[in-house]
């Protein structure tokens, strides 16, 4: 007996009903499973004294400079130093022909001896006339004249002695000595050259290179703004300002200096104020005239907030903002003021307060208003790996 055949249209509704039931069951299972919140790394905001580091251009200068000049005229008979060497204060550098000055000193010495002999004769005559005048042998006028002649001869002795001292000084100037201790440069004259006491060009130059000065140029606008910030209390002045010197090749000079001077005048041409730092230079690495960069801390922000640069978002017009995790565990956008970079961080001066949590890692997944799981920033990689 044959089984009855059922038409295909009757089977389709039943199959469709079964598929729909299975689909609804699967959707219900997915809807019941909640997506876990996004894990973001945060840093807790804290306030601290933040030093403001400024990089300024400067030029090195010897702490003591003396130009060697002749004080008498004559022919250079010898040069007594090696160019570029260290010399001591009082060390002979040049010898000028001294024969004429030695003869003048001898002549002055003879004049002193002659005047001293005349003084003795006039003294005896004045004493004798005084006694004769008392007895009536000579007039009182003659006695007074003898006394005056004696006094004049004494004065002549003093004048001749002064002339002798002057000639001896000139004789001493024929040996040109170093006025200071330091390193001497090249000589502008050689043996046989004629020098004069009034010449404009120095014979050489001696410079003390330890310590070394660094003359730093700062904009007068920045300098005045810094002073106004001190007066308002926004910035705290630094007592002894440390200075680090960066050389032209980018390397940092190993010895730290100190800011020692600030000029009271503004350069009319450049509009800058000159600051001076003193830096020890025991090895002579720094030479006068070098262009360097001076890195110094002129002030500090007493209640500053530092935020990593990746946490700051910049708008097209320059405004800055950060993403926070609020008390509800939701992402919140906050506008901040961050105009100064301090190393790899931004100094936030407005918009944040201590204790708030700024998102540092996971910014691409965080959306304003979304629930997130906040963990310390340095543990985000470990959390993500664990998932």
């Amino acid at each position: 007996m044959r089984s009855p055949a059922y038409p295909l249209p009757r089977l389709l509704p039943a199959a469709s009903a079964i598929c729909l039931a299975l689909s609804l069951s699967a959707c219900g299972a997915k809807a019941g499973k909640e997506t876990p919140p996004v894990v973001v790394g945060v840093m807790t905001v804290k306030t601290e004294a933040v030093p403001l580091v400024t990089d300024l251009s400067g030029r090195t200068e010897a702490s003591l400079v003396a130009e060697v000049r002749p004080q008498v005229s004559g022919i250079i008979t010898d040069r007594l130093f090696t160019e570029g060497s260290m010399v001591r204060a009082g060390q002979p550098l040049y010898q000028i022909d001294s024969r004429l000055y030695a003869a003048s000193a001898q002549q002055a010495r003879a004049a002193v001896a002659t005047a001293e002999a005349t003084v003795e004769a006039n003294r005896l005559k004045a004493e004798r006339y005084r006694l004769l005048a008392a007895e009536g042998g000579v007039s009182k006028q003659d006695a007074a004249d003898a006394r005056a002649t004696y006094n004049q001869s004494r004065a002549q002795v003093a004048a001749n002695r002064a002339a002798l001292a002057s000639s001896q000084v000139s004789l001493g100037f024929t040996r040109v000595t170093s006025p200071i201790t330091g390193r001497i440069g090249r000589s502008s004259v050689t043996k046989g050259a004629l020098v004069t006491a009034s010449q404009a060009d120095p014979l050489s130059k001696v410079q003390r290179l330890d310590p070394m000065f660094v003359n730093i140029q700062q904009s007068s606008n920045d300098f005045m703004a810094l002073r106004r910030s001190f007066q308002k209390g926004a910035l705290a002045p630094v007592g002894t300002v440390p200075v680090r010197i960066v050389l032209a090749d980018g390397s940092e000079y190993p010895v730290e200096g100190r800011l020692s001077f600030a000029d009271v005048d503004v350069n009319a041409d450049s509009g800058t104020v000159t600051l001076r730092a003193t830096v020890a230079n025991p090895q002579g690495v720094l030479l006068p005239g070098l262009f360097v960069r001076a890195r110094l801390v002129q002030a500090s922000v007493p209640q500053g907030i530092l935020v990593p640069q990746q946490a700051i978002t910049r708008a097209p017009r320059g405004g800055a903002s950060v993403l926070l995790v609020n008390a509800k565990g939701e992402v919140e956008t906050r506008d901040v003021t961050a105009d100064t970079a301090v190393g790899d961080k931004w100094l936030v001066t407005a918009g944040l307060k201590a204790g708030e949590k700024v998102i540092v890692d996971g910014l691409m997944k965080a959306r304003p208003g979304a629930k997130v799981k906040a963990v310390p920033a340095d543990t985000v990689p470990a959390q993500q790996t664990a998932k």
Side-chain angles (χ1 to χ4, degrees):
M1 184 173 173
R2 296 176 59 186
S3 299
Y6 292 95
L8 183 60
R10 291 184 180 181
L11 296 175
L12 290 176
S16 299
I18 294 172
C19 291
L20 179 60
L22 293 174
S23 299
L24 291 175
S25 176
C27 291
K30 290 183 180 179
K33 184 179 180 182
E34 295 184 359
T35 303
V38 174
V39 177
V40 294
V42 299
M43 62 157 286
T44 302
V45 174
K46 63 178 181 179
T47 60
E48 58 184 318
V50 179
L52 296 182
V53 180
T54 306
D55 274 11
L56 300 172
S57 61
R59 176 177 279 189
T60 57
E61 177 184 323
S63 58
L64 201 58
V65 180
E67 292 183 337
V68 180
R69 297 179 183 274
Q71 293 178 278
V72 293
S73 301
I75 301 295
I76 297 291
T77 58
D78 201 2
R79 193 189 75 189
L80 308 174
F81 69 94
T82 302
E83 294 175 316
S85 64
M86 289 293 297
V87 295
R88 304 181 308 276
Q91 178 179 332
L93 303 178
Y94 297 93
Q95 179 63 54
I96 299 176
D97 188 359
S98 61
R99 291 174 296 175
L100 180 60
Y101 298 98
S104 297
Q106 291 176 357
Q107 186 178 4
R109 190 175 296 108
V112 169
T114 300
E116 288 175 345
T118 303
V119 165
E120 182 62 19
N122 289 337
R123 184 187 68 80
L124 295 175
K125 182 178 179 180
E127 182 64 21
R128 186 170 62 253
Y129 272 42
R130 184 182 66 79
L131 296 175
L132 290 175
E135 296 175 357
V138 295
S139 64
K140 293 182 178 181
Q141 183 62 48
D142 291 339
D145 291 342
R147 185 68 182 179
T149 301
Y150 167 62
N151 290 334
Q152 288 175 354
S153 61
R154 291 178 60 193
Q156 186 62 43
V157 169
N160 289 347
R161 285 177 177 171
L164 174 60
S166 178
S167 62
Q168 288 175 334
V169 169
S170 297
L171 178 61
F173 284 157
T174 59
R175 175 155 287 198
V176 182
T177 60
S178 175
I180 62 172
T181 298
R183 188 173 296 278
I184 192 167
R186 67 181 183 85
S187 175
S188 63
V189 295
T190 60
K191 182 178 179 180
L194 174 64
V195 297
T196 61
S198 59
Q199 70 179 44
D201 297 330
L203 304 181
S204 189
K205 183 167 64 175
V206 182
Q207 302 180 86
R208 182 177 294 174
L209 304 183
D210 184 22
M212 184 73 76
F213 289 153
V214 180
N215 294 326
I216 308 164
Q217 305 299 321
Q218 184 174 29
S219 166
S220 58
N221 293 334
D222 294 343
F223 185 76
M224 296 303 294
L226 188 65
R227 295 183 62 178
R228 286 193 296 269
S229 298
F230 289 156
Q231 295 171 356
K232 294 178 181 178
L235 299 179
V238 178
T240 303
V241 179
V243 179
R244 304 296 301 191
I245 304 301
V246 181
L247 303 178
D249 60 358
S251 62
E252 188 173 282
Y253 183 65
V255 183
E256 185 178 82
R258 287 289 183 271
L259 193 67
S260 57
F261 168 77
D263 205 349
V264 296
D265 296 326
V266 177
N267 189 300
D269 297 328
S270 61
T272 59
V273 176
T274 299
L275 311 177
R276 172 173 288 175
T278 303
V279 185
N281 189 32
Q283 303 300 325
V285 175
L286 298 178
L287 299 176
L290 288 177
F291 282 103
V292 296
R293 300 285 298 175
R295 189 168 295 156
L296 63 156
V297 179
Q298 291 180 281
S300 65
V301 181
Q303 299 293 323
I305 296 174
L306 292 177
V307 175
Q309 291 186 358
Q310 69 267 24
I312 300 292
T313 302
R314 295 284 178 181
R317 294 186 177 182
S321 63
V322 297
L323 294 179
L324 305 175
V325 178
N326 58 24
K328 299 179 181 180
E330 297 176 349
V331 178
E332 176 185 332
T333 302
R334 179 78 58 79
D335 292 333
V336 297
T337 302
D339 300 326
T340 304
V342 180
D344 60 349
K345 299 180 180 180
W346 284 104
L347 174 63
V348 176
T349 55
L352 290 178
K353 58 184 179 181
E356 294 184 314
K357 297 180 179 180
V358 176
I359 299 177
V360 177
D361 296 325
L363 291 167
M364 298 298 295
K365 299 179 181 180
R367 295 291 182 269
K371 284 277 189 178
V372 294
K373 180 181 179 182
V375 298
D378 54 357
T379 63
V380 171
Q383 293 281 348
Q384 293 176 344
T385 302
K387 288 179 63 180

